[in-house]
Amino acid sequence: MDRSSDILEQRVLPPIKRRIKVLVAKLGLDGHDRGAKVVARALRDAGMEVVYTGIRQTPEQVVNAALQEDVDVVGISILSGAHMALVPRVLELLREKGLDDVAVVVGGIIPGDDIPKLKAMGVKEVFIPGTPLNAIVDFIRRNVAAKRGDQSEG
Amino acid sequence: MRVEELFEQALKGDTLSISRLISYIEYPSREGTWLLSRLLKRAGKAHVIGITGSPGSGKSTLISRLIEAYRKRGERVAVVAVDPSSPFTQGALMGDRIRMQKFATDPGVFIRSFATRGERGGISTAALLTVEAFDGLGYNRILLETVGVGQVDVDIMHAAHTILVLTAPGTGDEIQALKAGLMEIGDIYVVNKADRPGATETLKQLEFAIEGGIFKSRSGWKPVALKVSAALGEGVDELVKVIDEHIDYITKNSIAWQRVEERRIHALKSMVLWLIEARLEDLLKKPENSKLIEGIVKGDIPVYTAAVKLLEMI
């Protein structure tokens, strides 16, 4: 880079913090998106920028949206029971596209036995029904702060 | 990845590189400034369509139809979609992609969502700079979607070559169509949701407003009104034809490049305003200005006097 870009440092700019950007997606064939919408709204209220993809998304659609939006976190909502088939595919595609640094969290009806398996595959956290919204917000904040070296807001 | 390499990869069409490039640009950064300086030299060739209208008028659904039409022609299409940020939390819920997700896996389509981050007017500085970026990267068709607008959110007029203003049946009488602001800026007025009752009436009101006008449009082009049902895909072919006619018109009359100039000047103005606003917020919080603020709140200092004082500090 040449020195012409230094103008940004010569002038005192107001401190601008990158907002946390989250993709919330409904993976698979179930159309029950109340939970996804409640979580998306909670993240919005926590000051994050949330992109919602809508229902009935394939792993390919979710990962491509994450890729184009350059999000910090992908939140997958799934109630159909197909998580053990679809979530690994999302993780695999994310790695394939070079998005290893994107944190994946899963929410929905996930049997207790599957939670450690999903985490072993690379899912950062699983939120089952009844999880307080604050717990989801805090988890995402902590996770993104650790990745960025604590410069984020929201 | 070094920024020079990122730029090369983005020019070759690598999606991850394009995405990271936009992230550099959407917040002020050294990398973003460097990238923009390269991109601006390449930009100016794309045709930018602005799509505006009130919340729920069907902008995203119509965009999905336009993507379909331009993809059939083999064009690369970029979508820049803007949604509002919260004035309370600065958070945002961006849902424009929902209607476009069937193109998420199409390598010829790039969709990026933006929150307004406190900016008004219906678009944002970051969105405008991203239009320049897509243009510089060789996307020949750029669809710029505003937030759901009110009557005075007309900044899109400085940012697009062709402006579509969407309305839906049953959203007001003839007087609404005659009001200043939003209903003056369209090159094409689209009565969307034409499958619903009252569409023909709404179209007639728009045609009346257009016919009676002394002021035609910003370019002398006589605006066109037409009915579309984006949900059903009806009237889209005709809309695309009218958009083509508008492109012909602005090309023949050497207006196309003027629009690029206008867009850049607008980006400059909106960035300066954004910086001033941030600086102003700073100044208002400073202890040395507390007396001035106190005087304003109590009514001891006239607003004009205080405003001039603050302006000098900026």
Side-chain angles (χ1 to χ4, degrees):
Chain A
M1 269 193 289
D2 52 52
R3 307 302 290 172
S4 65
S5 317
D6 282 358
I7 187 155
L8 281 171
E9 281 159 36
Q10 288 159 13
R11 286 279 301 178
V12 183
L13 280 176
I16 298 136
K17 289 174 180 171
R18 249 167 222 279
R19 303 228 143 247
I20 295 174
K21 195 170 179 185
V22 185
L23 187 84
V24 174
K26 278 288 303 170
L27 188 61
L29 291 177
D30 78 278
H32 303 282
D33 62 347
R34 180 62 56 184
K37 284 173 180 163
V38 168
V39 170
R41 196 237 157 106
L43 300 179
R44 183 204 83 179
D45 286 348
M48 299 180 197
E49 292 184 346
V50 184
V51 178
Y52 182 51
T53 63
I55 59 173
R56 299 200 179 95
Q57 298 290 299
T58 64
E60 286 77 9
Q61 284 177 310
V62 172
V63 170
N64 276 302
L67 182 65
Q68 293 178 357
E69 297 288 353
D70 198 13
V71 293
D72 303 293
V73 179
V74 173
I76 293 167
S77 165
I78 187 159
L79 302 166
S80 65
H83 50 274
M84 294 310 282
L86 296 175
V87 174
R89 182 76 185 131
V90 169
L91 295 165
E92 184 190 326
L93 284 168
L94 283 172
R95 275 192 286 268
E96 225 169 75
K97 307 267 184 189
L99 296 174
D100 320 62
D101 55 343
V102 172
V104 176
V105 295
V106 175
I109 301 168
I110 311 291
D113 289 352
D114 290 343
I115 295 174
K117 290 180 198 159
L118 288 171
K119 285 192 176 175
M121 290 171 191
V123 170
K124 289 277 185 241
E125 193 53 274
V126 176
F127 302 109
I128 54 171
T131 308
L133 291 168
N134 275 340
I136 303 175
V137 168
D138 288 345
F139 182 86
I140 290 177
R141 276 197 183 135
R142 274 202 311 275
N143 202 285
V144 175
K147 189 189 90 182
R148 291 184 182 173
D150 208 12
Q151 293 166 351
S152 54
E153 191 174 285
Chain B
M1 200 191 289
R2 283 167 63 239
V3 67
E4 288 88 345
E5 197 187 326
L6 183 95
F7 182 55
E8 287 307 316
Q9 291 300 318
L11 281 177
K12 285 179 193 157
D14 176 59
T15 312
L16 179 61
S17 301
I18 295 172
S19 190
R20 296 269 149 98
L21 176 148
I22 295 167
S23 296
Y24 276 129
I25 287 171
E26 71 170 307
Y27 289 95
S29 69
R30 283 190 65 191
E31 292 87 349
T33 309
W34 186 89
L35 288 163
L36 262 179
S37 69
R38 300 303 182 282
L39 288 162
L40 284 164
K41 287 186 193 109
R42 294 169 173 267
K45 302 181 194 90
H47 174 242
V48 183
I49 305 178
I51 296 99
T52 191
S54 54
S57 53
K59 296 181 290 296
S60 304
T61 311
L62 183 67
I63 286 176
S64 174
R65 292 292 179 187
L66 291 175
I67 298 173
E68 207 169 10
Y70 292 125
R71 285 302 288 151
K72 272 187 197 152
R73 295 187 185 174
E75 295 181 17
R76 282 174 89 199
V77 182
V79 179
V80 177
V82 188
D83 262 329
S85 297
S86 162
F88 301 106
T89 66
Q90 283 72 55
L93 180 52
M94 301 178 276
D96 291 329
R97 280 193 85 95
I98 298 173
R99 317 268 176 231
M100 308 171 200
Q101 269 300 88
K102 69 169 163 173
F103 301 102
T105 52
D106 180 342
V109 181
F110 200 116
I111 303 163
R112 182 80 167 217
S113 313
F114 290 89
T116 51
R117 296 184 185 139
E119 290 182 74
R120 289 169 291 266
I123 48 176
S124 75
T125 314
L128 283 174
L129 298 180
T130 303
V131 167
E132 296 286 355
F134 279 130
D135 191 345
L137 290 172
Y139 284 85
N140 41 13
R141 191 77 61 174
I142 301 171
L143 308 177
L144 174 57
E145 177 177 354
T146 70
V147 303
V149 299
Q151 291 169 320
V152 293
D153 301 313
V154 294
D155 282 6
I156 189 72
M157 66 186 275
H158 305 296
H161 292 93
T162 304
I163 293 172
L164 314 187
V165 175
L166 269 66
T167 65
T171 47
D173 59 9
E174 205 156 75
I175 297 301
Q176 295 304 332
L178 290 172
K179 283 189 179 172
L182 186 66
M183 298 315 287
E184 291 177 288
I185 66 165
D187 297 305
I188 302 165
Y189 293 92
V190 177
V191 181
N192 193 22
K193 310 189 186 189
D195 47 303
R196 296 192 182 176
T200 305
E201 207 181 346
T202 304
L203 182 72
K204 279 183 182 155
Q205 289 162 358
L206 283 168
E207 281 169 344
F208 171 75
I210 293 167
E211 288 304 325
I214 297 167
F215 172 73
K216 292 282 180 233
S217 77
R218 56 199 176 131
S219 57
W221 153 273
K222 189 180 169 191
V224 175
L226 73 177
K227 288 193 293 184
V228 171
S229 169
L232 302 178
E234 289 165 7
V236 177
D237 291 347
E238 206 196 329
L239 172 62
V240 170
K241 222 178 91 199
V242 177
I243 294 172
D244 284 339
E245 284 166 14
H246 185 256
I247 297 169
D248 276 352
Y249 177 85
I250 58 169
T251 311
K252 277 184 194 138
N253 292 283
S254 316
I255 297 163
W257 179 254
Q258 280 177 33
R259 292 279 174 269
V260 177
E261 292 178 351
E262 207 180 330
R263 173 175 95 206
R264 290 177 175 179
I265 291 168
H266 185 70
L268 170 70
K269 280 159 94 176
S270 61
M271 183 165 283
V272 171
L273 285 175
W274 176 75
L275 289 171
I276 288 177
E277 196 156 327
R279 178 102 176 97
L280 180 62
E281 289 301 325
D282 245 23
L283 287 170
L284 292 176
K285 281 183 211 137
K286 284 202 163 152
E288 53 262 45
N289 291 326
S290 61
K291 271 210 173 121
L292 186 72
I293 306 297
E294 203 185 315
I296 279 287
V297 195
K298 286 187 175 161
D300 294 338
I301 305 177
V303 174
Y304 264 126
T305 314
V308 170
K309 271 190 184 158
L310 276 172
L311 200 57
E312 279 166 1
M313 293 182 222
I314 286 172

